[in-house]
Amino acid sequence: MPRALFVDRDADRTLATVRTLDPEALPEGDVLVEGLYSSLNYKDGLAVTGRGKIIRGALPFVPGIDLVGRVLSSTAEAYAPGDLVIQTGWHLGEARWGGFSQQQRVEARSLVPLPPGLSPLHAMVAGTAGFTAMLSVMTLEEHGLTPDQGTVVVTGASGGVGSFSVALLHERGFHVAASTGSEGAHTYLRSLGADDIQPRDVLGAGAQRPLDKAQYAGAIDCVGGDTLAALLSTMGRHGCVAACGLAGGAALHTTVFPFILRGVVLAGIDSNTCPPARRRAAWASLAALPASLYDAIHTDTIALDEVPARSDALLAGHIQGRLVVDLQQ
């Protein structure tokens, strides 16, 4: 019988345990997938520990916002047994049972075929984090940003999205500034291609004026809050900020001046309901990356049973890079 990680409540405690899964209990869907790998994201850590209101389905619930696996059966024409597929987004692991399971039933419309050249392992080194980072880089480039225009800053740089963003920007020839609050991550970030390391407090203190000195041509912001306000005030003329996170807060206190006096663009990155064509384009770009980039970001591979303990470590800021979950262990 397949196994899965279930989250449940006992009085005022959140419990996360691995136990046997009844395939008859799987959600409705036209594709049954054998899970090969998942990954451990910040959002998963919040779901597993109960520290964030991530789970919107009834308990007990199977979390995990990423999944790569092999099709076991399908009533959809697009997929056949043996096909390798990826699912991220579409509320997987939030409203719908997720990827921390050796079997999962999903909707064909939410899947992406595993692109040629991308291994299942590397697909989950990327996962939602790498996918979000690629969408962010694509957005900056579509805005017209090129390496000769100046520095691109990445906030929350030692996390999953931040790590991938630093590596992707370096791969494309950009001068990258990595903003982080983790002093122990400096060597790691430089190994990914960061040219400059900036203490988190520089931007985390918020905007000093409605328009501060222009410093950046572009930004990928994983933090939000005061950090995002500071980024907008320090962006150069016609710069672009790709906003993809809120680890530092959801409120944004800014003015219209960066937008009407410098032509700054604030672009939102929605990886959850990203349209299928753009989703496939992003995964195709991820498949074209060198294996060395994935190896540099891949921190560790863990078993399902290790997810609860590693979730605590992740939320405490003790993990940099990406943790892959081997569902077959």
Side-chain angles (χ1 to χ4, degrees):
M1 294 286 283
R3 299 191 310 149
L5 177 73
F6 286 88
V7 172
D8 208 344
R9 295 282 296 177
D10 178 15
D12 59 347
R13 295 186 304 156
T14 296
L15 304 176
T17 56
V18 176
R19 59 179 190 259
T20 300
L21 170 71
D22 179 4
E24 295 298 319
L26 290 171
E28 293 184 0
D30 44 13
V31 182
L32 178 65
V33 175
E34 176 191 18
L36 299 177
Y37 296 100
S38 184
S39 64
L40 184 57
N41 300 274
Y42 190 84
K43 186 179 285 188
D44 297 320
L46 293 174
V48 169
T49 62
R51 297 180 199 171
K53 295 181 180 179
I54 303 300
I55 295 174
R56 288 177 281 149
L59 298 178
F61 188 85
V62 178
I65 65 171
D66 292 337
L67 177 65
V68 64
R70 182 179 291 106
V71 174
L72 294 174
S73 63
S74 173
T75 58
E77 293 183 3
Y79 297 103
D83 288 348
L84 293 172
V85 293
I86 301 169
Q87 183 173 355
T88 63
W90 301 113
H91 308 294
L92 185 76
E94 299 175 61
R96 184 182 182 88
W97 278 16
F100 292 159
S101 178
Q102 292 179 331
Q103 284 188 15
Q104 194 54 270
R105 188 174 286 117
V106 297
E107 298 287 349
R109 62 182 178 83
S110 67
L111 295 173
V112 173
L114 183 74
L118 186 63
S119 71
L121 175 64
H122 283 171
M124 289 297 97
V125 174
T128 291
F131 176 59
T132 302
M134 181 59 78
L135 290 175
S136 300
V137 172
M138 289 167 59
T139 296
L140 294 182
E141 292 181 331
E142 289 161 359
H143 179 69
L145 187 64
T146 56
D148 62 337
Q149 293 176 350
T151 297
V152 180
V153 62
V154 177
T155 64
S158 64
V161 179
S163 295
F164 250 98
S165 297
V166 169
L168 291 177
L169 290 166
H170 173 73
E171 182 76 12
R172 283 161 164 72
F174 288 94
H175 186 280
V176 185
S179 171
T180 180
S182 175
E183 292 185 6
H186 292 193
T187 300
Y188 166 69
L189 290 169
R190 290 197 183 279
S191 75
L192 297 182
D195 299 285
D196 305 315
I197 305 294
Q198 188 178 93
R200 177 173 56 198
D201 293 345
V202 171
L203 292 168
Q208 303 305 303
R209 306 173 194 81
L211 282 178
D212 288 316
K213 179 183 177 181
Q215 299 182 54
Y216 309 112
I220 296 177
D221 177 46
C222 309
V223 177
D226 290 340
T227 296
L228 178 53
L231 282 174
L232 292 171
S233 74
T234 54
M235 200 60 44
R237 291 191 183 281
H238 307 292
C240 182
V241 179
C244 57
L246 45 63
L252 178 59
H253 303 288
T254 188
T255 72
V256 299
F257 291 126
F259 308 112
I260 65 173
L261 296 182
R262 287 185 182 164
V264 172
V265 169
L266 176 58
I269 306 300
D270 170 26
S271 63
N272 203 353
T273 61
C274 176
R278 188 166 182 81
R279 188 178 291 271
R280 292 187 183 217
W283 278 107
S285 294
L286 286 166
L289 297 172
S292 58
L293 186 150
Y294 287 97
D295 294 340
I297 297 175
H298 183 194
T299 299
D300 199 3
T301 299
I302 63 175
L304 264 178
D305 305 85
E306 298 177 73
V307 168
R310 292 297 188 102
S311 293
D312 286 325
L314 179 66
L315 296 183
H318 296 155
I319 295 174
Q320 58 194 30
R322 294 284 289 156
L323 288 176
V324 174
V325 182
D326 185 343
L327 299 172
Q328 297 302 308
Q329 285 192 32

